[in-house]
Amino acid sequence: MRKKIVAGNWKMNGSPELANTLLPRLAEVAKDIQADVLVCPPTVFASLAKNVAGESVAIGAQNCSDKASGAYTGEVSVAMLSEIGLSHVLVGHSERRAIFGETDELIAAKVAAAIEGGLTAVLCVGETLDERESDKTLEIVLGQVKAVLDTLSAEQWTQLVIAYEPVWAIGTGKTATSDQAQEVHQAIRNCLAEYSADGAGEMSLLYGGSVKAANAGELFAQQDIDGALVGGASLDADEFIAICRQAG
Ligand code: 3PY
């Protein structure tokens, strides 16, 4: 059985107050449901988040360095994230690809560093509106997936989750329809099966892009959608909890 996961990406938002109020409530809900719950606050609040979240909510980072240590001003290594008790790291979010120029090669190196350092990498992939409108969705998304899979062994997949986040649905209020999302998720799973049939069946594939309580249920009902990576709605305790409950 594949794990259902609901992950919150706070991006560059939130505060110690939000961590102190939202996470203890979420922790109680997470104890009651089957789905795994993950919250990725800004790294500066991650230690605090880890302390207040307890064991039922996993805390992750939104980015990591591909380097182990050294003169890399502003970077944070996987070992540092692990040292403060984090278990996951988002890698290759479309904002990092588009705004910070992260390439497939760098993203593959970060995923490898995360896995080797004992974390679970949540690899984010997705197409832009132009790419979708020129019928390149699967070419782009599967290209981003393969760039990472080509550098990993199937045994390492137990520490990999893939989040499909169409760029045109991020921060725009537009969500892919559940059929559009399922079509891409199924294509990702078929692509995984070319590497490892067992691994493909076990990989959790999350949908991201303006997920809210109102659309989560329909998305989660799709065969190849195993949860969500939630942006803005993860900053609102009631909304995020309502999404988590729908994951079961
Ligand atoms: C969004 O839903 O806005 C996201 O980018 C989640 O990562």
Side-chain angles (χ1 to χ4, degrees):
M1 261 281 275
R2 287 196 291 274
K3 257 194 241 158
K4 290 252 188 226
I5 303 171
V6 181
N9 174 10
W10 285 10
K11 308 193 180 185
M12 202 169 73
N13 297 300
S15 60
E17 193 191 345
L18 184 72
N20 279 321
T21 52
L22 184 148
L23 291 171
R25 276 189 65 196
L26 186 61
E28 286 310 307
V29 173
K31 285 180 197 159
D32 273 0
I33 62 175
Q34 300 282 311
D36 287 358
V37 180
L38 166 68
V39 172
C40 301
T43 312
V44 72
F45 304 140
S47 265
L48 165 70
K50 182 69 200 153
N51 289 336
V52 291
E55 292 304 308
S56 59
V57 175
I59 303 295
Q62 298 172 15
N63 183 28
C64 64
S65 176
D66 62 318
K67 309 283 191 300
S69 64
Y72 300 106
T73 301
E75 291 289 277
V76 176
S77 73
V78 169
M80 291 167 184
L81 301 176
S82 175
E83 179 67 33
I84 60 166
L86 305 197
S87 50
H88 292 70
V89 59
L90 308 183
V91 183
H93 191 280
S94 64
E95 287 150 15
R96 298 223 51 93
R97 292 178 191 262
I99 305 169
F100 301 99
E102 293 197 4
T103 60
D104 279 340
E105 195 183 11
L106 177 62
I107 290 161
K110 288 186 177 197
V111 169
I115 291 177
E116 276 154 31
L119 300 188
T120 293
V122 181
L123 168 67
C124 304
V125 297
E127 82 288 1
T128 62
L129 189 57
D130 270 3
E131 289 161 348
R132 174 161 282 266
E133 285 177 345
S134 46
D135 252 346
K136 291 205 177 118
T137 299
L138 296 185
E139 182 191 328
I140 296 296
V141 169
L142 301 184
Q144 291 170 346
V145 169
K146 286 179 183 169
V148 169
L149 294 185
D150 284 346
T151 69
L152 299 179
S153 68
E155 290 76 60
Q156 292 176 300
W157 290 12
T158 53
Q159 287 167 255
L160 185 67
V161 170
I162 298 178
Y164 167 57
E165 301 203 302
V167 180
W168 49 271
I170 291 182
T172 58
K174 288 186 192 152
T175 323
T177 63
S178 48
D179 287 346
Q180 282 173 321
Q182 165 60 22
E183 185 191 3
V184 179
H185 279 234
Q186 188 176 32
I188 294 173
R189 203 173 305 282
N190 291 344
C191 170
L192 292 168
E194 288 169 22
Y195 293 77
S196 160
D198 289 350
E202 281 158 27
M203 177 83 66
S204 297
L205 301 181
L206 314 186
Y207 172 78
S210 301
V211 175
K212 23 188 170 339
N215 59 22
E218 201 188 326
L219 289 160
F220 295 161
Q222 300 301 310
Q223 194 179 338
D224 290 293
I225 300 183
D226 306 309
L229 178 54
V230 184
S234 69
L235 295 160
D236 179 317
D238 291 332
E239 186 79 11
F240 192 56
I241 285 170
I243 296 169
C244 291
R245 287 202 186 278
Q246 291 181 66

